């Protein structure tokens, strides 16, 4: 069929992929537009790292640290070192061994470098994994809802249907997940994977309990699905860290997705995926990471070698571990979370119709209001009260009339948090008076 063009070469919307007009992209675009229109508003919207950590960051130092490692410890010649940094690199990545070592030291996860693929942020890792797992329309992704927009967007780009699973206080409703798997199988379909963020999930801040982690692994084995573990916020834990699902995994059920954006440098856009699942193949000896690496050659070709050098230098400068980096940064995020919660208790009156959760880590707090929270309220809050936040409705998988909003504390100073919650309090009082009228 011939592509139809209207006057001036304009394309019909119906000839573009449905994801381009989906609610996920529209929500991101709307929030960016509101932030631009109200630059003086204090924004609790972005889940970005705190800018103070980049004031004295010497990117050149870390690149130099990595190049010395290549020359002195790997025995590369100057020409070979330059080629490693300045030319296209291996699709799998150049720092797989360093990442594997760091996971062993910091997270108790033991994997071969062959099981690691270095990606352009965690977002590319999600896209590659879903592309590999979706073979036809009968393959489903289950996701704890509310959930990170990125996994929803990746699934919709690939036309992979998502089944929402309730979160609950323990991190995931396992009985509902089991029922969904069985219902899909009865229809001739299959839940291929379940996406979870067990440590202070974005956007809910929920921490999955140890018993839920163990039961989820058992269910993955009995119902034959994979677990996509998003590890982004575990480093912020204010209590004894729970083991990652990947550390507990004994049956190759967990695909572990991570990023250096929150811990090291978001501008580097370096993430990774651990996919050690054996792949039955005539060649033998292949794992899922090999297949993801092959897919990556058709997406981004390779992750920037210079960006990998920055992260590699940071790892090497800390003895192969990010523990020291975490020890410097995690207390700032825990402080900001404490200040945010303290300010809520100090300035916002808690009622049956106004309440919030108290996470022990992560970047996010959920606040419930007596009215439906939508984009119109965001604009009202920014315009009249000078404070921004994110409606929780954007993180649900369907048209959900949520009464909650998400507050992110990671990017702000203590003074901004205090002033921002003062402004939020005035906004909440305004909403409550309107709801009571």
């Amino acid at each position: 069929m011939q592509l139809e063009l209207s006057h001036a070469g304009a394309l019909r919307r119906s000839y573009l992929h449905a994801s381009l007009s989906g609610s996920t992209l529209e929500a991101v675009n709307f929030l960016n537009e509101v932030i631009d229109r109200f630059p003086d508003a204090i924004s609790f919207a972005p889940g970005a790292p705190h800018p103070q950590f980049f004031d004295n960051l010497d990117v050149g130092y870390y690149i130099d640290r990595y190049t010395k490692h290549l020359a002195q410890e790997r025995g590369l010649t100057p020409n070979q070192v330059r080629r490693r940094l300045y030319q296209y690199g291996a699709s799998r990545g150049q720092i797989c061994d360093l990442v594997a070592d760091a996971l062993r030291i910091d997270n108790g996860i033991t994997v071969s470098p062959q099981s690691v693929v270095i990606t352009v942020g965690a977002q590319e890792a999600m896209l590659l994994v879903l592309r590999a797992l979706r073979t036809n329309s009968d393959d489903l992704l289950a996701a704890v809802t509310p959930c990170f927009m990125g996994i929803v967007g990746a699934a919709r780009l690939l036309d992979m249907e998502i089944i929402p699973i309730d979160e609950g206080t323990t991190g995931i409703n396992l009985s509902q997940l089991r029922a969904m798997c069985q219902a899909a199988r009865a229809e001739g379909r299959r839940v291929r994977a379940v996406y979870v963020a067990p440590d202070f999930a974005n956007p809910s801040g929920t921490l999955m309990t140890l018993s839920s982690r163990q039961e989820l692994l058992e269910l993955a084995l009995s119902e034959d699905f994979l677990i996509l573990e998003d590890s982004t916020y575990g480093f912020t834990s204010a209590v004894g860290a729970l083991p990652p699902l990947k550390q507990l995994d004994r049956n190759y059920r967990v695909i572990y997705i991570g990023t250096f954006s929150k811990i090291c440098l978001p501008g580097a856009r370096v993430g990774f995926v651990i996919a050690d699942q054996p792949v039955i193949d005539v060649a033998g000896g292949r794992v899922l990471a090999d297949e993801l690496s092959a897919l990556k050659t058709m997406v981004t070709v390779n992750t920037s070698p210079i960006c990998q050098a920055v992260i590699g230098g940071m790892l090497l400068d800390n003895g192969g571990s990010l523990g020291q980096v975490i020890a410097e940064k995690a207390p700032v995020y825990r402080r900001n979370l404490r200040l945010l919660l303290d300010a809520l208790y100090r300035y916002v009156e808690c009622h049956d119709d106004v309440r919030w959760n108290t996470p022990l880590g992560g970047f996010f707090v959920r606040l419930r209001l007596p009215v439906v929270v939508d984009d119109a309220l965001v604009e009202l809050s920014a315009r009249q009260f000078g404070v921004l936040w994110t409606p929780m409705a954007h993180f649900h998988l369907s048209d959900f009339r949520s009464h909650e909003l998400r507050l992110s504390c990671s990017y702000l100073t203590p003074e901004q948090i205090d002033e921002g919650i003062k402004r939020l309090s005035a906004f909440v009082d305004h909403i409550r008076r309107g709801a009571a009228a």
Side-chain angles (χ1 to χ4, degrees), residues 250-296:
R250 299 294 178 267
N251 297 291
Y252 299 101
R253 287 289 150 182
V254 179
I255 298 172
Y256 187 85
I257 296 172
T259 177
F260 293 103
S261 292
K262 301 296 190 287
I263 299 175
C264 295
L265 181 63
R269 300 304 300 130
V270 175
F272 62 90
V273 55
I274 309 300
D276 57 354
Q277 289 71 26
V279 175
I280 299 173
D281 186 88
V282 290
R286 292 178 69 83
V287 294
L288 181 58
D290 296 313
E291 313 303 325
L292 300 181
S293 177
L295 285 174
K296 183 175 169 60

Side-chain angles (χ1 to χ4, degrees), residues 108-342:
I109 297 173
T110 302
V111 292
S112 164
Q114 183 192 359
S115 300
V116 182
V117 178
I118 307 301
T119 58
V120 182
Q123 188 65 40
E124 188 192 20
M126 294 177 190
L127 187 70
L128 294 175
V129 170
L130 295 186
R131 176 65 283 169
L133 295 181
R134 188 198 184 279
T135 61
N136 58 54
S137 59
D138 291 332
D139 293 327
L140 309 173
L141 172 69
V144 174
T145 184
C147 70
F148 172 53
M149 292 179 186
I151 190 70
V152 177
R156 289 177 177 164
L157 284 174
L158 298 168
D159 295 316
M160 191 170 192
E161 185 177 339
I162 313 175
I163 299 174
I165 305 296
D166 294 336
E167 188 172 54
T169 57
T170 62
I172 184 171
N173 187 325
L174 292 165
S175 60
Q176 184 187 20
L177 175 58
R178 181 183 293 105
M180 291 291 191
C181 289
Q182 294 170 355
R185 192 161 53 248
E187 297 174 355
R189 310 183 77 187
R190 179 184 175 190
V191 174
R192 295 299 310 276
V194 176
Y195 170 83
V196 294
D199 299 305
F200 315 116
N202 177 11
S204 67
T206 302
L207 177 67
M208 185 182 291
T209 62
L210 179 59
S211 61
S212 286
R213 294 172 195 236
Q214 294 167 331
E215 290 174 31
L216 177 59
L217 287 166
E218 293 169 4
L219 187 60
L221 184 61
S222 64
E223 294 292 340
D224 192 22
F225 60 76
L226 294 170
I227 300 169
L228 309 187
E229 179 179 14
D230 183 342
S231 68
T232 302
Y233 300 98
F235 78 98
T236 65
S237 178
V239 295
L242 291 171
L245 286 160
K246 190 61 183 173
Q247 182 186 334
L248 300 170
D249 184 21
R250 299 294 178 267
N251 297 291
Y252 299 101
R253 287 289 150 182
V254 179
I255 298 172
Y256 187 85
I257 296 172
T259 177
F260 293 103
S261 292
K262 301 296 190 287
I263 299 175
C264 295
L265 181 63
R269 300 304 300 130
V270 175
F272 62 90
V273 55
I274 309 300
D276 57 354
Q277 289 71 26
V279 175
I280 299 173
D281 186 88
V282 290
R286 292 178 69 83
V287 294
L288 181 58
D290 296 313
E291 313 303 325
L292 300 181
S293 177
L295 285 174
K296 183 175 169 60
T297 63
M298 295 294 105
V299 180
T300 54
V301 182
N302 63 282
T303 301
S304 163
I306 292 176
C307 292
Q308 289 186 72
V310 175
I311 302 303
M314 289 183 174
L315 288 167
L316 291 164
D317 205 49
N318 287 277
S321 164
L322 287 176
Q324 182 175 332
V325 180
I326 292 170
E328 172 194 0
K329 296 184 177 181
V332 172
Y333 297 124
R334 291 198 290 266
R335 177 205 68 190
N336 276 15
L337 180 60
R338 184 183 69 252
L339 291 174
L340 173 58
L341 291 169
D342 288 348

